């Protein structure tokens, strides 16, 4: 998935050497403003169409239903044992990708990019996210905080990097090829649920933190009712799955729903890690951080044909962090319009995803200042 290895404003053929791909991004205050970037983007890119947004959502849901219909009516009936296992594995993989696209449309609701109507955004987001076992309002609040503090060592909400002094011994144990593969597999399988339940990899608070706790330090007093609504929606889905297990059996529910859900969680975790983790991007402490520089420290990636399935959330992520209200169907156009203004501040890496996964696990272990550097700019290191 993806082609070549390129970074920033690549030549027209999209090719750069490995050294160029890993060249550090600019970390100084950029010579342009948010206003300059907004002027460069066609005005229609900021327009949200309720009809277009629903079209993408319905398209994803119809595709998901078609896959479900084919799987439940044909796999066991026409594929002899054990080939039916391969059929179900293929269904789980493909259905997981399709539902990840639906997840992305639900994510648009978090940012009010689905429509101009707040109540429509929240209703659609609540239904879509809850159906995929994500507490909508809880996630919406913490995710917006991440967007407000991207790459801030003190205040970013998720994927906060480690410092060398607090690296634990097990990082050294797993700092080898088999260990990195094991860490990736574990992260993709349970990383997102652990973050939601126990704030694993999230911002450190003084007390226990969970997206399901209305009194979590993640939320203000006036937001607690929304968290309860999210929890009730999740419990409703869980109860529905419990009733379905009683009727159809656990194996059927896992194959039809549970397996694809694991794939959705894996894709979402992978996408967010790779869009925010790269050897070339810096982190900032409070002495240097500002919102625009933080937003610019995201990386567009190439997932090949899955870019379209995932509604370009991977390859227009820089734009998404700068103008999160732009709908996904305008993301690529807005990205292309911003590139001449962004120049070397635009970060893109087309390294094949499997290779990028292994490289980032190897190269991005902790952050540290350059020796003798007094500014609050930190870079990834790998030596432990």
């Amino acid at each position: 998935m993806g082609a070549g290895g390129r970074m920033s404003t690549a030549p027209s053929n999209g090719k750069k050497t490995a050294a160029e791909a890993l060249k550090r991004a600019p970390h100084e205050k950029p010579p342009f403003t948010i206003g300059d970037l907004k002027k460069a983007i066609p005005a229609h890119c900021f327009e949200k169409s309720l009809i277009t947004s629903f079209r993408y959502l319905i398209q994803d849901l119809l595709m998901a239903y078609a896959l479900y219909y084919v799987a439940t009516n044909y796999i066991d009936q026409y594929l002899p044992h054990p080939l039916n296992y391969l059929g179900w594995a293929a269904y789980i993989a493909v259905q997981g990708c399709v539902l990840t696209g639906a997840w992305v449309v639900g994510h648009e609701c978090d940012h009010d990019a689905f429509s101009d109507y707040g109540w429509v955004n929240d209703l659609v987001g609540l239904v879509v996210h809850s159906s995929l076992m994500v507490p909508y309002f809880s996630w919406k609040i913490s995710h917006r905080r991440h967007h407000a503090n991207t790459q801030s060592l003190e205040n970013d909400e998720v994927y906060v990097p480690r410092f060398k002094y607090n690296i634990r011994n097990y990082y050294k144990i797993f700092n080898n090829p088999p260990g990195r593969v094991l860490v990736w597999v574990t992260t993709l399988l349970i990383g997102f649920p652990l973050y939601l339940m126990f704030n694993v990899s999230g911002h450190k608070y003084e007390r226990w933190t969970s997206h399901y706790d209305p009194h979590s330090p993640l939320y203000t007093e006036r937001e607690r009712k929304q968290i309860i609504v999210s929890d009730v929606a999740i419990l409703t889905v869980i109860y529905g799955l419990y009733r379905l297990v009683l009727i159809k059996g656990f194996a059927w529910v896992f194959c039809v729903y549970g397996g694809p859900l694991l794939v959705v969680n894996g894709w979402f975790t992978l996408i967010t890690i790779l869009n925010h983790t790269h050897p070339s991007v810096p982190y900032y402490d409070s002495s240097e951080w500002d919102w625009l520089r933080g937003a610019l420290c995201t990386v567009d990636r190439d997932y090949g044909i899955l870019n379209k399935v995932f509604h370009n959330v991977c390859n227009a992520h820089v734009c998404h962090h700068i103008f999160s209200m732009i709908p996904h169907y305008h993301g690529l156009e807005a990205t292309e319009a911003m590139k001449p203004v962004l120049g070397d501040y635009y970060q893109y890496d087309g390294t094949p995803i499997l290779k990028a996964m292994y490289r980032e696990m190897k190269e991005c272990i902790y952050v540290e200042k350059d020796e003798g550097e007094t500014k609050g700019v930190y870079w990834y290191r790998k030596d432990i």
Side-chain angles (χ1 to χ4, degrees), residues 227-299:
I227 311 310
I228 294 173
V229 172
S230 296
D231 290 348
V232 169
I234 292 294
L235 289 173
T236 301
V237 174
I238 292 174
Y239 178 74
L241 291 172
Y242 165 72
R243 298 295 302 179
L244 201 55
V245 167
L246 294 180
I247 298 170
K248 292 286 191 176
F250 177 81
W252 189 92
V253 173
F254 176 81
C255 289
V256 170
Y257 174 82
L261 183 63
L262 288 176
V263 174
V264 172
N265 288 341
W267 276 123
F268 171 75
T269 303
L270 177 63
I271 289 167
T272 52
I273 289 177
L274 291 187
N275 279 139
H276 292 280
T277 306
H278 195 279
S280 71
V281 297
Y283 278 81
Y284 303 95
D285 67 21
S286 56
S287 68
E288 282 289 320
W289 182 88
D290 63 69
W291 183 85
L292 180 55
R293 277 194 287 177
L296 290 170
C297 289
T298 54
V299 183

Side-chain angles (χ1 to χ4, degrees), residues 13-30:
N13 62 7
K15 301 293 184 180
K16 278 196 173 185
T17 66
E20 289 172 325
L22 297 176
K23 182 181 177 181
R24 285 183 174 180
H27 64 271
E28 301 84 3
K29 289 189 176 182

Side-chain angles (χ1 to χ4, degrees), residues 47-265:
E47 297 174 0
K48 311 158 196 175
S49 168
L50 188 63
I51 294 175
T52 303
S53 295
F54 265 116
R55 177 170 64 82
Y56 278 101
L57 178 58
I58 292 171
Q59 170 185 298
D60 287 340
L61 296 179
L62 287 176
M63 191 177 300
Y65 177 78
L67 289 168
Y68 158 80
Y69 181 84
V70 170
T72 54
N73 286 278
Y74 294 99
I75 289 179
D76 289 331
Q77 183 174 353
Y78 292 100
L79 291 180
H81 183 80
L83 289 180
N84 61 330
Y85 291 145
L86 293 178
W88 280 111
Y91 161 79
I92 287 172
V94 177
Q95 184 72 291
C97 293
V98 171
L99 292 178
T100 300
W103 201 109
V104 172
V105 176
H107 163 251
E108 297 271 282
C109 299
D110 302 343
H111 297 285
D112 290 326
F114 186 86
S115 77
D116 290 316
Y117 308 98
W119 69 271
V120 172
N121 298 333
D122 285 342
L123 180 60
V124 172
L126 181 65
V127 172
V128 173
H129 274 348
S130 300
S131 299
L132 296 172
M133 299 301 291
V134 178
Y136 170 70
F137 289 108
S138 312
W139 163 256
K140 173 182 177 179
I141 293 166
S142 68
H143 185 61
R144 283 190 173 183
R145 192 171 297 166
H146 157 64
H147 271 255
N149 299 282
T150 308
Q151 300 299 103
S152 167
L153 288 171
E154 290 94 348
N155 299 312
D156 202 350
E157 197 58 50
V158 68
Y159 299 129
V160 181
R162 296 171 291 272
F163 294 99
K164 189 171 185 178
Y165 68 81
N166 63 5
I167 290 182
R168 299 177 181 177
N169 287 331
Y170 61 77
Y171 285 105
K172 298 179 181 179
I173 296 173
F174 292 107
N175 191 28
N176 52 69
R180 293 180 194 118
V181 172
L182 179 61
V183 170
W184 261 120
V185 170
T186 304
T187 301
L188 296 182
L189 283 175
I190 61 175
F192 189 45
L194 287 179
Y195 169 65
L196 292 176
M197 288 188 288
F198 306 113
N199 199 41
V200 173
S201 82
H203 178 82
K204 302 304 178 187
Y205 292 93
E206 294 182 356
R207 51 156 294 193
W208 181 75
T209 305
S210 172
H211 280 72
Y212 301 98
D213 177 10
H215 297 281
S216 168
L218 285 166
Y219 314 117
T220 64
E221 188 66 36
R222 65 185 182 85
E223 292 168 339
R224 306 209 190 284
K225 290 182 180 179
Q226 293 179 313
I227 311 310
I228 294 173
V229 172
S230 296
D231 290 348
V232 169
I234 292 294
L235 289 173
T236 301
V237 174
I238 292 174
Y239 178 74
L241 291 172
Y242 165 72
R243 298 295 302 179
L244 201 55
V245 167
L246 294 180
I247 298 170
K248 292 286 191 176
F250 177 81
W252 189 92
V253 173
F254 176 81
C255 289
V256 170
Y257 174 82
L261 183 63
L262 288 176
V263 174
V264 172
N265 288 341

Side-chain angles (χ1 to χ4, degrees), residues 2 6 104 271 274-275 298-321 328 330-336 338-339 346-350 353:
R6 52 198 188 272
V104 172
I271 289 167
L274 291 187
N275 279 139
T298 54
V299 183
D300 283 352
R301 300 275 189 169
D302 183 7
Y303 286 72
I305 192 173
L306 291 178
N307 288 334
K308 189 172 183 65
V309 178
F310 297 160
H311 302 308
N312 300 309
V313 72
C314 316
N315 56 331
H317 201 75
V318 174
C319 173
H320 173 64
H321 262 267
H328 67 83
H330 293 316
L332 287 181
E333 182 181 359
T335 297
E336 291 301 317
M338 285 195 302
K339 280 183 183 180
Y346 173 68
Q347 304 303 309
Y348 175 85
D349 192 343
I353 296 304

